[in-house]
Amino acid sequence: LDWWHADRYCEQRFAQLLFEPQDSEQASFSKLLQSHHIRGSVWLNERDGVLHKPKWRRDHIVPVLVFRDKTDTKYVKVLSDFPALPAVTACAHLQWDTRTQEIATIFSYAVPTFFNEFQLRGFVDEEGFVRFALIVHGHHSPYLPVFRADGQWHHFCVTWQQENGTWSIYADGKRRASASGLCAVGLSAPQAIYSQGTFIIGQDQDSLGGTFREKESFSGNITDLHIWQKVLGAEQIEKVRSCWVVEQDLVFGWSSNALEVESTVQEVTAQFLCPGPVEECRVFEVGSSGFSYASCLQSLPFICRYRKDAYWQLKKAQLESSHSLISRVNMLAERTVIPEDVFTSDVQDMNLSVALGALDVLATVLRKRETPVLESSDLLAVLQLLQQVSDVEVQEGEELEMLEPLGQYYVEVTELILEEQNIETWSSVSQVIRGPMAVVELCNRMVSHLAPLLTAGRTKVTIQHRNVGLRRVTVKNMWFGYGSLQRCLSGAGSSAVFQDVAASDGGQKYLSTTVGTAVISSTLLSDYQEISTSVRYRLQHRVQWMVISMCFLCFLLHVSPDAGGMWSTAGCSVVTSLPDSTACFCNHTTNFAVLLQVYEMQRTTKEELTLQTLTFIGCGVSFCALIVTFILFLAVGVPKSERTTVHKNLILALAAAEALLMFSELAKTNQVVCFTVTAFLHLFFMAAFSWMLVEGLLLWSKVVAVNMSEDRRMKFYYVTGWGLPVVIVGVTLATSFNKYVADNHCWLNVQTNVIWAFVGPVLFILAVNTFVLFRVVMVTVSSARRRSKMLTPNSSLENQIGIQIWATAKPILVLLPVLGLTWVCGVLVHLSIIWAYVFIVLNSLQGLYIFLVYAIYNSEVRNAIQRMKDKKKA
């Protein structure tokens, strides 16, 4: 096959063309191929995705003929004797004058018996396309669009052959028109183009070699005209377009010496930049164990290569398959639509009719399947068929009304395999297909086939099935509404789709990435070719909580079974970012989405060491202070009360948590120990915060009358303080056992939702305790104001303000450590390293603060110690 078809052949089998072997392996590899009777050249894959284009072939110094205006005098005569032409090809590079829309004659060939023997004419239509018509033996083909009248250089070729009068018009390497029946006059047999005629460039001959008319003359520039006595193939036309001369059967080659140029026609020598040399692809020379290049259109043998992990995953899927879906499809179609073995079966040649029938049957089976979840082999089989259909080449004369239902079935099948229940199936073939973004690329190929449906009366085509749709206008759009595609991207093959997600960027480490919006794709088309332009778009968020919105795009250089594409911000920026949507500006068209990212600070090694040291010292001091406080409460005989009981439980939970935290780094090396430490850290820190909540509830009961006995209150406090943490930790372990522990620390996994089993309750407790503290401060300030007026009614304003300030500050200072409100600083840690230091100092010294406030300066403890001293003296 040629390189393009060989590449697609391998891709349809979830493989790749052979890569270049290492230097040390070339000789042995060459012997291996020879042992399988492979000789000569073998196609190689292009690692950089860009085909080889030698620069020296692009610069082409040629004489250019300049026809400035339409006149009846300017012409150029070809000084060559033309033989009879049973077949002919004429090619040239042309720059069309866009100032006029009148018919122009590019060249005319006249013989004594027939002035319109062989002629090419054209004009610019209302839509801005240059239309060509070919005349042979006076027979006139229809005017058909070949290229856009944009003032740029374009290459054209026209071919005709005596047999059946078959003709074709090529522009810029692509066949734009083709038909048969441009033959001889009357009932006589087809005739060859007569010999010994006169060939004129730029004018229509109404007599042999003369009688020109201004309105039919050519205006523009022309160069590199060549004429052959045969029909050139597509590969040869591509070579000619690239300024290579095909010598065989050449009747006229472009040369100033072979032209008679009328004096008013300007002839200039220019360094002409060819529109694109014949693309060359790399080949491995089996006999010589070397490398060279060959035209990509040449037919050569090739080898499909699999990565080992992808190969074994494919084999596993084949062996474990029940082939139920494949069997039902083939049985309903009464032929083999989907082969059962991806390795040994030949991929059938597709045309529109075959593709339409295959997708119709497949969509029917997928709609009515008994089990909602696809098997791995079923998913691969469907993807293989979608690849084949997307590679269909729409041939001239095919029934174009089949295109729209083909697109409808394609979109429906795509939507059905992207349903949420197939997430695990996508994950099971992640080594073969790197994520569902491959489907986006397949849809993008499919959309291009809808171009022939566009006419002057129908300017757009829209196809949609539930969450997936595509639109083909001058702009080619696709959309994948928020649903299974996004979930599959997050759940299957995410390592391939989201590359370098956790990379450091500006001091921040991205922890998790989710596609938070629909995925859209946009491409601008000009003359059936893609061009890039800037685009501005706004996408609604699916998620609206603690995230940063960034405009990302997905660039798919060549999405194949070996590459799922990756996300990049190149060329895109945020215009506006709101809680529910993000507007982005990108300087080119491709596939777009907004990724929502949760991140943490990325600190230097020195900063991390400093923070770890402060934490260890602070926790050590705090732990000792808490133990001393707990012993004092037990040893000195502090009178039993609700308050002291709650204090003791809080101290116990906090001391246990900080002891585990100090030595958690030592447990990282043992997975089981680390898991156990994490679970107990979660339990004791949760218990500490639960008892902080109890402290708040106890204060509330003192401020606001609560109709509940002391025994019932204590039972409620114990259930809240110890029961609630046990339930939270138990439920978390039961639902997220495999995602519980972080990768590098003995703590909860912050890259999954597990962290919210701690953060969620803590935020709730801090909110409740903040409200309680606010209420306590209000009551305290009000009481202090009344007491001040009663005891010192004539005190100055300064004294009253001082009393109120102290009344406000005292409860805040006393209650902050037990209510846990210093943890609010944790919300600000991502802003600066300073806040990290403040957070660690405040919370690691929480135990010392409790010791000072609730032991040293606690009147009950001091009185108990004094009683012990008095008793000892007595």
Side-chain angles (χ1 to χ4, degrees):
L1 298 177
D2 62 46
W3 189 92
W4 309 105
H5 285 91
D7 184 52
R8 290 292 167 86
Y9 182 97
C10 292
E11 186 178 319
Q12 288 172 5
R13 285 166 170 72
F14 308 104
Q16 289 181 300
L17 277 178
L18 180 70
F19 276 108
E20 177 184 319
Q22 301 294 328
D23 292 342
S24 59
E25 301 172 346
Q26 289 178 15
S28 60
F29 185 69
S30 182
K31 289 180 181 178
L32 176 65
L33 295 182
Q34 290 181 56
S35 69
H36 287 79
H37 309 291
I38 298 175
R39 300 284 189 275
S41 302
V42 177
W43 288 130
L44 289 176
N45 208 332
E46 297 291 336
R47 288 185 180 276
D48 57 2
V50 179
L51 297 177
H52 183 67
K53 297 185 177 77
K55 285 191 176 296
W56 64 269
R57 287 173 51 193
R58 294 187 65 87
D59 295 330
H60 189 54
I61 300 175
V62 287
V64 177
L65 301 179
V66 180
F67 295 82
R68 289 196 180 278
D69 299 297
K70 293 173 73 71
T71 69
D72 58 1
T73 57
K74 293 180 181 179
Y75 73 93
V76 175
K77 182 178 180 180
V78 174
L79 303 177
S80 178
D81 293 329
F82 286 87
L85 301 172
V88 65
T89 299
C91 299
H93 285 99
L94 189 73
Q95 197 172 23
W96 198 272
D97 186 351
T98 59
R99 295 174 298 172
T100 177
Q101 291 186 326
E102 293 180 329
I103 290 176
T105 304
I106 296 96
F107 64 77
S108 63
Y109 177 73
V111 293
T113 56
F114 219 120
F115 299 147
N116 292 331
E117 180 68 359
F118 180 45
Q119 189 177 126
L120 181 65
R121 300 157 69 91
F123 72 96
V124 178
D125 65 16
E126 294 178 352
E127 296 179 354
F129 279 91
V130 175
R131 291 176 174 263
F132 276 180
L134 186 64
I135 300 175
V136 179
H137 298 318
H139 280 226
H140 202 299
S141 77
Y143 282 97
L144 297 170
V146 288
F147 57 80
R148 188 171 290 279
D150 52 10
Q152 303 298 316
W153 282 99
H154 293 277
H155 181 261
F156 75 87
C157 286
V158 293
T159 69
W160 177 86
Q161 60 183 349
Q162 180 178 345
E163 184 179 356
N164 297 325
T166 303
W167 60 275
S168 297
I169 299 177
Y170 292 81
D172 299 323
K174 296 182 180 180
R175 188 171 63 180
R176 304 298 187 185
S178 179
S180 60
L182 208 57
C183 299
V185 180
L187 299 174
S188 60
Q191 298 284 327
I193 294 174
Y194 295 121
S195 62
Q196 302 303 315
T198 302
F199 196 104
I200 299 293
I201 301 172
Q203 294 285 357
D204 176 21
Q205 305 175 58
D206 286 340
S207 64
L208 189 62
T211 316
F212 308 136
R213 288 189 291 179
E214 178 183 331
K215 66 177 184 178
E216 294 180 344
S217 64
F218 172 71
S219 176
N221 304 323
I222 190 168
T223 186
D224 251 6
L225 174 67
H226 292 79
I227 303 169
W228 292 265
Q229 193 180 2
K230 69 172 184 177
V231 173
L232 297 184
E235 181 182 350
Q236 292 173 314
I237 287 176
E238 182 66 17
K239 283 187 176 182
V240 173
R241 172 175 175 254
S242 307
C243 309
W244 270 29
V245 178
V246 176
E247 299 289 348
Q248 186 180 5
D249 294 320
L250 182 67
V251 175
F252 170 73
W254 188 248
S255 170
S256 298
N257 298 329
L259 298 175
E260 178 187 302
V261 182
E262 193 268 333
S263 60
T264 57
V265 176
Q266 187 178 0
E267 183 180 8
V268 298
T269 301
Q271 187 174 15
F272 187 69
L273 188 65
C274 295
V278 174
E279 290 173 319
E280 290 194 334
C281 301
R282 202 163 197 199
V283 294
F284 178 69
E285 301 294 347
V286 177
S288 61
S289 301
F291 303 100
S292 63
Y293 290 90
S295 168
C296 298
L297 295 173
Q298 188 176 345
S299 293
L300 292 176
F302 61 94
I303 297 170
C304 295
R305 162 193 170 272
Y306 290 91
R307 289 179 296 103
K308 285 184 179 179
D309 50 359
Y311 177 82
W312 291 116
Q313 200 169 72
L314 266 173
K315 292 289 285 184
K316 181 182 178 183
Q318 293 280 307
L319 292 171
E320 295 177 353
S321 172
S322 64
H323 299 295
S324 58
L325 182 138
I326 297 173
S327 301
R328 288 199 302 274
V329 169
N330 292 338
M331 182 176 66
L332 186 61
E334 298 180 347
R335 62 182 180 84
T336 302
V337 173
I338 303 177
E340 291 190 355
D341 194 328
V342 71
F343 296 107
T344 59
S345 58
D346 287 332
V347 175
Q348 59 183 319
D349 291 331
M350 280 277 180
N351 56 38
L352 282 183
S353 178
V354 173
L356 181 61
L359 285 187
D360 183 6
V361 172
L362 178 58
T364 302
V365 172
L366 286 174
R367 273 188 241 114
K368 299 177 179 178
R369 65 183 185 271
E370 297 172 0
T371 56
V373 180
L374 287 172
E375 293 182 2
S376 300
S377 59
D378 294 340
L379 178 60
L380 292 172
V382 173
L383 287 171
Q384 186 181 46
L385 183 60
L386 290 179
Q387 284 178 334
Q388 293 176 62
V389 174
S390 67
D391 292 337
V392 166
E393 295 180 4
V394 181
Q395 301 296 327
E396 297 291 337
E398 286 194 286
E399 297 180 8
L400 298 182
E401 59 268 18
M402 292 190 290
L403 280 174
E404 191 159 357
L406 180 69
Q408 290 169 344
Y409 286 131
Y410 200 97
V411 169
E412 182 179 0
V413 170
T414 299
E415 209 280 334
L416 289 169
I417 65 172
L418 288 175
E419 288 179 344
E420 188 173 358
Q421 62 264 25
N422 294 322
I423 290 177
E424 292 301 323
T425 308
W426 279 99
S427 181
S428 69
V429 293
S430 59
Q431 298 301 324
V432 182
I433 294 289
R434 296 290 181 86
M437 283 305 290
V439 176
V440 177
E441 173 62 14
L442 291 177
C443 287
N444 198 35
R445 291 187 203 168
M446 182 59 209
V447 174
S448 300
H449 294 324
L450 303 181
L453 294 176
L454 299 177
T455 62
R458 187 180 188 184
T459 57
K460 69 177 181 179
V461 178
T462 302
I463 297 172
Q464 183 173 3
H465 185 269
R466 288 193 288 187
N467 238 5
V468 180
L470 48 88
R471 179 180 290 120
R472 182 72 153 81
V473 205
T474 305
V475 178
K476 180 173 64 177
N477 292 322
M478 293 189 300
W479 67 93
F480 293 80
Y482 190 90
S484 50
L485 176 61
Q486 285 74 6
R487 296 188 183 98
C488 289
L489 284 172
S490 301
S494 56
S495 60
V497 177
F498 301 109
Q499 297 186 8
D500 301 325
V501 169
S504 176
D505 179 22
Q508 297 173 350
K509 181 182 179 183
Y510 295 103
L511 299 177
S512 62
T513 303
T514 179
V515 181
T517 66
V519 174
I520 60 174
S521 174
S522 185
T523 308
L524 186 64
L525 296 154
S526 175
D527 195 16
Y528 304 109
Q529 295 182 357
E530 294 183 3
I531 60 174
S532 189
T533 186
S534 60
V535 61
R536 179 169 176 162
Y537 60 95
R538 177 180 292 278
L539 291 172
Q540 296 294 122
H541 297 168
R542 178 71 175 184
V543 188
Q544 297 182 19
W545 43 274
M546 302 171 65
V547 293
I548 284 187
S549 301
M550 300 188 70
C551 288
F552 272 58
L553 64 141
C554 180
F555 62 89
L556 303 167
L557 296 176
H558 183 64
V559 177
S560 67
D562 199 46
M566 64 181 181
W567 298 94
S568 167
T569 52
C572 285
S573 59
V574 177
V575 178
T576 57
S577 184
L578 302 174
D580 63 338
S581 66
T582 298
C584 304
F585 174 82
C586 294
N587 62 13
H588 57 294
T589 50
T590 181
N591 305 310
F592 304 103
V594 175
L595 304 191
L596 305 179
Q597 303 193 327
V598 180
Y599 65 97
E600 69 176 0
M601 291 302 296
Q602 184 79 341
R603 305 185 183 96
T604 64
T605 306
K606 183 178 180 181
E607 288 172 340
E608 287 286 353
L609 183 61
T610 303
L611 291 173
Q612 287 179 6
T613 305
L614 283 174
T615 301
F616 189 84
I617 294 171
C619 284
V621 173
S622 182
F623 176 75
C624 294
L626 289 169
I627 293 299
V628 171
T629 306
F630 190 75
I631 292 172
L632 280 174
F633 272 111
L634 294 176
V636 302
V638 175
K640 287 186 177 181
S641 66
E642 283 183 321
R643 194 155 59 93
T644 55
T645 302
V646 172
H647 286 345
K648 283 189 283 188
N649 280 279
L650 171 60
I651 289 167
L652 178 63
L654 201 55
E658 295 199 351
L660 281 170
L661 184 62
M662 280 191 293
F663 298 101
S664 63
E665 288 295 306
L666 302 177
K668 285 195 301 185
T669 54
N670 189 305
Q671 189 174 357
V672 176
V673 175
C674 185
F675 188 94
T676 305
V677 168
T678 301
F680 277 104
L681 268 174
H682 189 193
L683 175 64
F684 284 117
F685 268 117
M686 207 63 254
F689 275 99
S690 297
W691 281 106
M692 291 176 198
L693 175 63
V694 171
E695 291 275 5
L697 296 175
L698 181 63
L699 272 172
W700 183 259
S701 69
K702 303 300 181 184
V703 174
V704 179
V706 176
N707 188 19
M708 185 184 292
S709 66
E710 185 175 332
D711 287 342
R712 290 178 64 191
R713 279 204 305 269
M714 283 309 302
K715 289 179 182 177
F716 174 72
Y717 292 159
Y718 274 111
V719 169
T720 304
W722 292 110
L724 186 61
V726 170
V727 170
I728 291 173
V729 173
V731 170
T732 307
L733 286 172
T735 56
S736 306
F737 189 84
N738 295 325
K739 304 175 183 177
Y740 189 69
V741 183
D743 293 333
N744 301 317
H745 301 284
C746 295
W747 180 236
L748 301 179
N749 193 342
V750 296
Q751 298 189 28
T752 63
N753 292 328
V754 171
I755 190 63
W756 291 100
F758 176 72
V759 174
V762 167
L763 291 175
F764 172 76
I765 290 167
L766 293 180
V768 171
N769 283 354
T770 301
F771 177 75
V772 170
L773 180 62
F774 177 77
R775 182 75 175 127
V776 169
V777 168
M778 293 294 292
V779 171
T780 305
V781 170
S782 179
S783 299
R785 189 184 298 117
R786 288 197 302 270
R787 190 182 303 110
S788 175
K789 288 182 179 180
M790 289 174 60
L791 298 177
T792 55
N794 298 321
S795 62
S796 64
L797 180 62
E798 289 80 1
N799 287 338
Q800 290 182 15
I801 292 173
I803 291 170
Q804 289 183 22
I805 291 174
W806 174 242
T808 303
K810 183 178 179 181
I812 291 176
L813 292 173
V814 171
L815 297 175
L816 271 179
V818 293
L819 295 182
L821 297 182
T822 52
W823 285 73
V824 175
C825 295
V827 178
L828 307 175
V829 162
H830 71 278
L831 298 178
S832 170
I833 189 67
I834 304 298
W835 283 109
Y837 291 134
V838 171
F839 176 70
I840 286 178
V841 169
L842 286 178
N843 290 286
S844 62
L845 298 180
Q846 187 177 10
L848 180 62
Y849 202 91
I850 290 174
F851 171 71
L852 293 174
V853 174
Y854 292 95
I856 301 300
Y857 295 106
N858 188 338
S859 58
E860 290 181 345
V861 174
R862 293 167 70 180
N863 290 337
I865 293 173
Q866 188 60 45
R867 285 196 299 272
M868 286 182 65
K869 288 181 179 179
D870 294 341
K871 188 176 180 180
K872 190 175 182 181
K873 286 180 181 179

